[in-house]
Amino acid sequence: MSARDRVELAVIGTHRAAVLEALGAEFTLHEVESFDDVAGSLGAAAERIRGGLSSPMIGLSAPMMDALPKLEIVALFGVGLERTDLTHARERGIVVTTTPVLYEDVADTAVVLAMDVSRRITAGDRWVRAGHWGAGGPPASGKRFSGKRAGILGMGRIGRLLAQRLAAFDMTIGYYDPRPAPDVDHRLYSSGVELARESDFLFLCAAGGPGQRDLVDAEMLAALGPEGVFVNIARGWLVDEKALVDAVVTGTIGGAGLDVFADEPNVPRTLREADNVVVLPHIASNTVESRHAMDQCMIDNIRSWFATGKAVTPVP
Amino acid sequence: MSARDRVELAVIGTHRAAVLEALGAEFTLHEVESFDDVAGSLGAAAERIRGGLSSPMIGLSAPMMDALPKLEIVALFGVGLERTDLTHARERGIVVTTTPVLYEDVADTAVVLAMDVSRRITAGDRWVRAGHWGAGGPPASGKRFSGKRAGILGMGRIGRLLAQRLAAFDMTIGYYDPRPAPDVDHRLYSSGVELARESDFLFLCAAGGPGQRDLVDAEMLAALGPEGVFVNIARGWLVDEKALVDAVVTGTIGGAGLDVFADEPNVPRTLREADNVVVLPHIASNTVESRHAMDQCMIDNIRSWFATGKAVTPVP
């Protein structure tokens, strides 16, 4: 195949060398350097681009699409869609694919964050590393994890995998979802606040469309209460972060396990310094295994589309 | 009841005020100040002591028993028996009780330690707290937890509760126990080394009688291998700690989650400073709920014995 016949792809955001090598062997890749000016970045190639790669934190805006008149498919790394204008993509007939191969890791992270906060794991490790064991008083007692009441906000794929895991810890599981899941046996609550009121652990697993903000607010945190633990493995902007900081500091809630924040990579100092909070750098899906599977999934979607006209994991 | 009629108890080790108050209302308590000289500590009361409290780290030695000729029962806090001479207690007809109400917490701790090491949870929290997120490169990737191979050394009560939990993470579970458990479906290996060789996570859940030392040695750690994670929620002296330190530092194993150590509260500096290790201050059963339940269990055993002649949770 001559260079002239090769399909041309726009590479938006940072992707691993293995992905660029694999796709570069079959396609001509053009790196987009300015996300605000895709046409300017790509020059004459913009007219020829038929496919692309992007990441959830950059996504694919309507102006990006409009700069690429022949765009047929964009493969996103991850499963977040908040920066991608799906409505516009549908109007244009552009296929958007995600990498739905990371859910187990995210559900695992939710479990470990909840247990870490209640059992004081990172706090205990910090205490031992600082040399306090033997030198100070006894270590602080945590609270039991097993047998408690778990509330899941959002009963999608991650929520279901989380419920499967929590059930093995003999937990009572409830959930709130604006779209009830008829195949799920757990109790459906009428609102997030009602769910929080009867939960020891409140897990935010909502997908979070573009319209949603501050799904978890001061009222819901107050309902969770001073013994409750809040866990967020979804998106930071689904939470009123100021209210969360207040709730943690004042003891309105017992603690929080957070993988995501409103303004990443910035984490409010209060959260970074709190002993009843665990702060992770957005790694819920960040395992070697998931990253490889996500890379491969992007590659497979692009290859499959241009070989057969079908994507592997398109957004419906 | 006059003071003269009250049963007298020896209080060995530190116990919470609530326990001493509850028992002090019915019994006369004598604190033992020197564990090496119980008779001297108690003076004339030694001849009248009919019951006692102790803790697993002090236990009840043969000389202690022999200093108390009328001793009928000792209630231990916890479930460890390594410092208690059960053979001598049986010869003397002394009932020893433990507090078998903490197993869920210990199994939970095993899960959280394993997941923490593989997913780099305390390491990630430390990294964010230190302000590296955004300032340095991307966070390091962890390894997936779900779906891996778990090896359980010791299929007792904790091992079974651990297996229940790990199964919900779609793990393949194997075990080694010198006494096979016919009611357990998981694969029984012929030795700890064989088990380690086919495990991604190796959990030490052995009860650890007085004869056992260095159950986990350099050979077993080598069999676990450079991707493997070792978790100890049993006893520190069941592990060759020098071999463990070497294995962690040289990369013979991938990492370790440790609640217990050979010489507590001393934790080798290498372990405290390693990024692939989580170090906890022996808190596997240390929850508010378990501590209350354990306190109550000691009280119930003493009360029941002197009211009905039967203990609630005697060691068989």
Side-chain angles (χ1 to χ4, degrees):
Chain A
M1 195 188 284
S2 75
R4 205 168 261 260
D5 299 325
R6 284 159 68 117
V7 169
E8 300 186 40
L9 306 180
V11 177
I12 303 170
T14 307
H15 300 275
R16 256 182 299 276
V19 175
L20 303 181
E21 276 171 32
L23 290 174
E26 295 173 50
F27 303 93
T28 299
L29 309 184
H30 298 273
E31 196 175 334
V32 174
E33 294 186 353
S34 168
F35 307 139
D36 296 331
D37 182 16
V38 170
S41 280
L42 293 172
E47 300 287 326
R48 301 189 304 266
I49 297 289
R50 293 175 59 198
L53 306 180
S54 191
S55 61
M57 290 307 180
I58 299 168
L60 191 71
S61 64
M64 283 177 178
M65 292 182 230
D66 291 341
L68 306 169
K70 293 201 176 143
L71 190 65
E72 299 167 30
I73 183 169
V74 168
L76 295 177
F77 185 81
V79 296
L81 290 167
E82 66 264 37
R83 306 254 158 104
T84 295
D85 191 334
L86 281 183
T87 308
H88 197 73
R90 279 192 201 102
E91 283 167 10
R92 281 274 314 270
I94 297 167
V95 173
V96 174
T97 68
T98 58
T99 57
V101 292
L102 49 70
Y103 298 117
E104 284 82 1
D105 281 340
V106 177
D108 289 355
T109 307
V111 176
V112 77
L113 279 172
M115 204 165 5
D116 190 315
V117 174
S118 66
R119 297 298 308 274
R120 298 181 54 78
I121 303 300
T122 59
D125 174 87
R126 201 157 52 230
W127 193 79
V128 173
R129 281 174 192 262
H132 294 319
W133 195 17
S141 292
K143 295 212 188 79
R144 184 170 288 176
F145 180 70
S146 280
K148 296 294 179 71
R149 302 166 304 168
I152 299 178
L153 289 165
M155 192 48 86
R157 289 208 242 189
I158 292 167
R160 283 158 209 245
L161 289 169
L162 175 58
Q164 168 194 318
R165 285 155 176 71
L166 297 176
F169 293 86
D170 302 323
M171 289 211 171
T172 305
I173 298 166
Y175 76 104
Y176 169 69
D177 196 306
R179 294 182 304 184
D183 57 316
V184 169
D185 281 339
H186 305 299
R187 179 172 167 194
L188 172 67
Y189 282 76
S190 59
S191 73
V193 171
E194 289 304 314
L195 177 67
R197 191 165 288 135
E198 298 193 11
S199 295
D200 300 303
F201 295 91
L202 185 66
F203 295 92
L204 181 55
C205 301
Q212 290 183 293
R213 283 204 83 82
D214 298 355
L215 193 72
V216 174
D217 57 10
E219 184 191 4
M220 203 184 290
L221 294 168
L224 181 58
E227 302 289 318
V229 172
F230 172 64
V231 172
N232 190 0
I233 44 77
R235 287 289 183 252
W237 43 269
L238 293 173
V239 178
D240 178 346
E241 197 168 80
K242 191 179 165 304
L244 177 60
V245 169
D246 286 350
V248 163
V249 171
T250 60
T252 300
I253 66 173
L258 307 170
D259 185 51
V260 290
F261 302 88
D263 179 32
E264 296 170 12
N266 299 306
V267 178
R269 173 177 290 269
T270 318
L271 295 178
R272 280 195 284 125
E273 293 181 350
D275 206 43
N276 57 341
V277 176
V278 177
V279 286
L280 294 184
H282 201 149
I283 55 169
S285 70
N286 190 344
T287 63
V288 175
E289 292 87 344
S290 272
R291 293 291 154 121
H292 283 157
M294 291 160 76
D295 284 348
Q296 193 60 47
C297 187
M298 282 202 299
I299 295 167
D300 292 345
N301 270 295
I302 294 288
R303 278 186 180 151
S304 173
W305 178 260
F306 290 107
T308 70
K310 289 204 170 174
V312 183
T313 54
V315 176
Chain B
M1 197 188 281
S2 75
R4 203 168 263 262
D5 299 324
R6 284 160 66 118
V7 170
E8 301 186 39
L9 306 180
V11 178
I12 303 169
T14 308
H15 300 274
R16 258 182 298 277
V19 176
L20 303 181
E21 276 171 32
L23 290 175
E26 296 174 49
F27 303 92
T28 298
L29 308 184
H30 298 272
E31 196 174 336
V32 174
E33 294 184 355
S34 168
F35 308 138
D36 295 331
D37 181 17
V38 170
S41 280
L42 294 171
E47 300 287 325
R48 302 191 303 266
I49 298 289
R50 293 176 58 201
L53 306 179
S54 191
S55 60
M57 290 309 179
I58 300 167
L60 191 71
S61 64
M64 284 178 179
M65 293 182 229
D66 290 341
L68 305 169
K70 292 201 178 144
L71 190 65
E72 300 168 28
I73 182 169
V74 168
L76 294 177
F77 185 82
V79 296
L81 291 166
E82 65 263 37
R83 306 253 160 105
T84 294
D85 190 333
L86 281 183
T87 307
H88 197 73
R90 278 192 201 102
E91 284 167 10
R92 281 272 315 269
I94 297 167
V95 173
V96 175
T97 69
T98 57
T99 58
V101 292
L102 50 70
Y103 298 117
E104 284 82 1
D105 282 340
V106 178
D108 288 355
T109 305
V111 176
V112 77
L113 278 173
M115 206 167 3
D116 190 314
V117 174
S118 66
R119 297 299 308 275
R120 297 183 52 81
I121 302 301
T122 59
D125 174 87
R126 200 157 53 230
W127 194 78
V128 172
R129 282 174 191 261
H132 294 319
W133 196 16
S141 293
K143 295 211 189 79
R144 183 169 288 175
F145 180 69
S146 280
K148 297 294 178 73
R149 301 166 304 167
I152 299 178
L153 288 166
M155 192 48 85
R157 290 209 241 188
I158 292 168
R160 283 158 209 246
L161 289 168
L162 174 59
Q164 169 194 319
R165 285 154 175 70
L166 297 176
F169 293 85
D170 303 322
M171 289 210 172
T172 304
I173 299 166
Y175 76 103
Y176 169 70
D177 196 307
R179 294 181 305 182
D183 58 316
V184 168
D185 281 339
H186 305 298
R187 178 173 167 192
L188 172 67
Y189 282 76
S190 60
S191 73
V193 171
E194 288 303 315
L195 177 66
R197 190 166 288 137
E198 298 193 10
S199 296
D200 300 303
F201 295 91
L202 185 67
F203 296 92
L204 181 56
C205 301
Q212 289 184 293
R213 282 203 85 83
D214 299 355
L215 193 71
V216 174
D217 57 9
E219 183 191 5
M220 203 184 289
L221 294 168
L224 181 57
E227 302 287 318
V229 171
F230 173 65
V231 172
N232 189 359
I233 45 76
R235 287 288 185 252
W237 42 268
L238 293 173
V239 178
D240 178 346
E241 197 168 79
K242 192 180 164 302
L244 177 60
V245 169
D246 286 348
V248 163
V249 171
T250 59
T252 300
I253 66 173
L258 307 170
D259 186 50
V260 290
F261 302 88
D263 179 32
E264 298 172 12
N266 299 306
V267 178
R269 174 177 289 271
T270 318
L271 295 178
R272 281 197 283 123
E273 293 180 351
D275 206 45
N276 56 342
V277 176
V278 177
V279 285
L280 294 183
H282 201 147
I283 55 169
S285 70
N286 190 343
T287 64
V288 174
E289 291 86 345
S290 272
R291 293 292 154 122
H292 283 157
M294 289 159 77
D295 284 348
Q296 194 57 51
C297 187
M298 282 201 300
I299 294 168
D300 292 345
N301 270 297
I302 294 288
R303 278 185 179 151
S304 173
W305 177 260
F306 290 107
T308 70
K310 287 205 170 169
V312 183
T313 52
V315 176

